[in-house]
Each structure stands twice: as C-alpha cells, then as structure tokens.
Amino acid sequence: MKILVVGGAGYIGSICTELLLDEGHTISVFDNLSEGHRRAVDGRANFFEGDLGDLNSITSALTASQPEAVMHFAASALVGESMENPSKYFRNNIGSGLNLLDAMVSTGVKRLVFSSTCAIFGPPERLPIDETLPQRPINPYGESKLAFEKILRWYGEIHGIDFVSLRYFNAAGASGNFGEEHRIETHLIPNVLKVALGQKAHVEIYGTDYDTPDGTCIRDYIHILDLSRAHILALTSPGGAFYNLGTGGGTSVREIIESCRKVTGREISVVEKPRRPGDPPRLIASSEKAQRELGWRPQFQNIDAIIESAWQWHQKFPNGYGD
C-alpha cells in the first residue's frame, strides 16, 4: 500500500514509518521538522518538508505521492503549553488538520488513520477508560483533538473520508533505530534515563500523596512498537471507528524510576515536589474494543522490557538525533 505519514519525523510517526517499510509498503513522509528530526525519517521513505498550515504544501505532497491512505501524527501535544497558548493548539490541531482533510478531498484520498488521545475524556468516572465514557476534556490539547474527531465524522458523512481514530496516553520505548527525543522533553521515561546518562542531575516527582499504593501517579505505558502495530492494523479495518488503546494496567512514577534503576544499573537521584494542577491519580485505558475489532494484542506488557528498549536506544544515541 502507498501511504503518506504526516508527522513522520516525530517519535511515533518515525517508528510507524519504519514498521510499514519493513512490511513492504511504499511510504512518503510529510513533516515541517518543527518538532520532528530529519534523521528520524527512515532512509527508505520519500520525504516532503512542508507545513500543514500551508494548504498548497500538503496538496502538492498528496499529488506527488498519490497515497491510498494517510496516517496523521502531526500535532502540538504538550498539555501545559496548551493551557498557556491555546491559540497554537487550535490552529495547529484543528486548522492545519482541516487543510489535510481538504487536500485529501481535492486529491481523492479517502482513508485516514488519526493519532488521537485519551485526553479527550478528561478525568474519568471509572477505570479503565473505555469508548463509552463521556468526553469532557479539561485542557485545550484534549479539546482540539476532540474537535478534530467530530470534524472527521462530518468529513466521513459528507466527503466519504474513511477514518479510524486511535486514542492513547503514554507511548514509550524504542525500536533499534528510532527513539524518543523531543526538543522540550516532558515525558517521564526519557527524563529519568537522562539522569542515568549523566545528562541531568535528578528527576522530579510531582506529588507523593495521591491515593495510590505508593502515593505517586499511575499511568498506562504502551510500547511504541505495539502502538505502531495498532496504527497499521487500522489501515485496513472498517472505517468510521474510534478505539482506545491501553495495556489494561498501569505503572506509578516511583515504579518507573525503580525500573530504570534496575535496567540501567545506575543511581538515579529524585527530588520530590508538590502536585501539579490537574494531574489525576490514575489514568488507564481499556483496549477491549480494539482487541475485539482490530485483533490488536500488545506484546510488551512488562515495563522493564519497554524501558530496556528505550535505554538501548539512548545508549546508542546519547545525543539523540543531534539536530
């Protein structure tokens, strides 16, 4: 299949591109490199540097690559930043997303796999979070993703765009060649591993008095390879569907740090700080629907294995992509 991966120079997009190429698909990548890295684009893929904010740019890439499907990973994705600069999130995640959809309509591309988020639900009424829960986002990031999901429904009905939306929380781990490097790193695992690498003095724990077994927040971590396989399965599944992705379990902040100590064999200093506003004690997603309808089965249920893959990549590329 010919596929255009939008945001394919980013963390999830780059590894999904790698797996698609390994399976024999013909892949083109579209990215503006504002958050992604040119070196994260698999050398077997065609690369178009462009911005979704420019309708002509994405239309030209679709015309040149003639894909049968699009995977859409391009988005602003920092919850805290979205509370400070909501305009950026609505422009990038909704306005630029509309450019992609309009370009798909004009070039006749009918299939889209959308990288969404469980942040559309807000604080959940129950765990794990399944698709039936009410959608009440509490930040502009989650609101922007939910708005785009609603737009997808209408583009499906009016223009025949056949879409699948995948919602998840914490992608983690690495492949042999590609891993996690953000210009502003807010994710826990890479920040803990930076301490193990000697690049940071300590890791910070925000809140130790939550109603959890060890007092720290619990989150659902999915190996990036499992996540990528879910996106690939969605390429050929029935459209008009929304799926939550999770491992069915969760790992606390302290457990992540302890696992990193075990995997790396190094000391990791911790500084405890007060809670951050809006951090729920537990966030765990249900993947029962995805397992039932997509046939998705996460292979990496053990947090040590996820962290081991990330550690191997960070050791191999201690300075990341170096750009």
Side-chain angles (χ1 to χ4, degrees):
M1 183 181 288
K2 294 172 70 175
I3 303 157
L4 179 66
V5 181
V6 178
Y11 173 41
I12 304 173
S14 65
I15 293 174
C16 200
T17 294
E18 179 186 24
L19 265 61
L20 285 164
L21 287 162
D22 288 347
E23 292 189 5
H25 297 282
T26 300
I27 306 301
S28 296
V29 167
F30 181 89
D31 203 294
N32 67 5
L33 301 181
S34 64
E35 296 295 337
H37 308 272
R38 183 64 182 88
R39 287 178 59 193
V41 178
D42 194 300
R44 297 170 291 174
N46 300 312
F47 179 64
F48 297 91
E49 184 172 353
D51 196 306
L52 275 186
D54 178 1
L55 178 59
N56 290 331
S57 181
I58 183 59
T59 303
S60 295
L62 285 165
T63 301
S65 58
Q66 297 185 318
E68 299 159 74
V70 171
M71 285 189 174
H72 179 25
F73 296 99
S76 298
L78 299 178
V79 169
E81 183 187 51
S82 80
M83 295 294 286
E84 298 169 358
N85 188 3
S87 175
K88 174 180 178 180
Y89 280 71
F90 295 133
R91 289 178 190 277
N92 288 352
N93 296 356
I94 301 173
S96 295
L98 281 169
N99 281 344
L100 173 60
L101 292 177
D102 288 341
M104 289 175 63
V105 170
S106 69
T107 57
V109 182
K110 296 293 189 181
R111 184 70 175 178
L112 176 70
V113 177
F114 175 51
S115 173
S116 189
T117 173
C118 282
I120 66 165
F121 292 103
E125 295 177 350
R126 65 176 186 274
L127 292 174
I129 300 169
D130 63 34
E131 292 81 359
T132 67
L133 283 174
Q135 298 158 2
R136 297 182 295 220
I138 59 171
N139 52 66
Y141 167 61
E143 192 73 59
S144 69
K145 290 284 196 172
L146 178 58
F148 193 72
E149 285 196 350
K150 291 179 178 179
I151 290 166
L152 284 175
R153 290 188 182 97
W154 287 108
Y155 270 70
E157 181 174 330
I158 296 167
H159 295 296
I161 297 293
D162 199 23
F163 70 88
V164 174
S165 181
L166 301 177
R167 305 153 168 169
Y168 44 91
F169 284 119
N170 298 68
S175 72
N177 297 312
F178 303 106
E180 185 171 13
E181 184 197 349
H182 302 103
R183 289 183 170 84
I184 301 174
E185 189 57 78
T186 63
H187 293 171
L188 178 61
I189 290 174
N191 276 321
V192 178
L193 294 179
K194 284 178 185 292
V195 180
L197 287 167
Q199 296 174 352
K200 290 183 63 176
H202 61 264
V203 65
E204 296 165 343
I205 298 178
Y206 293 95
T208 59
D209 59 348
Y210 286 96
D211 183 20
T212 60
D214 65 18
T216 64
C217 289
I218 291 173
R219 295 293 182 264
D220 194 339
Y221 293 87
I222 306 177
H223 198 294
I224 191 68
L225 296 179
D226 284 332
L227 201 54
S228 295
R229 290 188 183 104
H231 285 80
I232 294 170
L233 288 169
L235 279 170
T236 54
S237 68
F242 303 86
Y243 297 103
N244 296 358
L245 299 177
T247 59
T251 309
S252 75
V253 174
R254 289 196 192 280
E255 287 171 335
I256 289 290
I257 294 168
E258 192 53 44
S259 176
C260 287
R261 288 174 175 145
K262 180 166 65 173
V263 167
T264 66
R266 301 186 184 183
E267 292 294 322
I268 295 171
S269 297
V270 169
V271 172
E272 296 181 1
K273 293 198 168 184
R275 295 185 184 191
R276 293 179 297 197
D279 271 347
R282 291 179 174 87
L283 289 173
I284 299 170
S286 168
S287 62
E288 286 186 10
K289 183 182 176 185
Q291 293 189 33
R292 183 173 65 250
E293 296 185 9
L294 296 179
W296 182 66
R297 299 287 186 277
Q299 301 299 306
F300 295 88
Q301 299 278 29
N302 183 287
I303 194 64
D304 291 350
I306 295 175
I307 289 173
E308 175 65 34
S309 70
W311 177 236
Q312 288 177 2
W313 186 82
H314 282 285
Q315 284 185 296
K316 188 176 179 181
F317 303 101
N319 297 313
Y321 293 107
D323 57 4

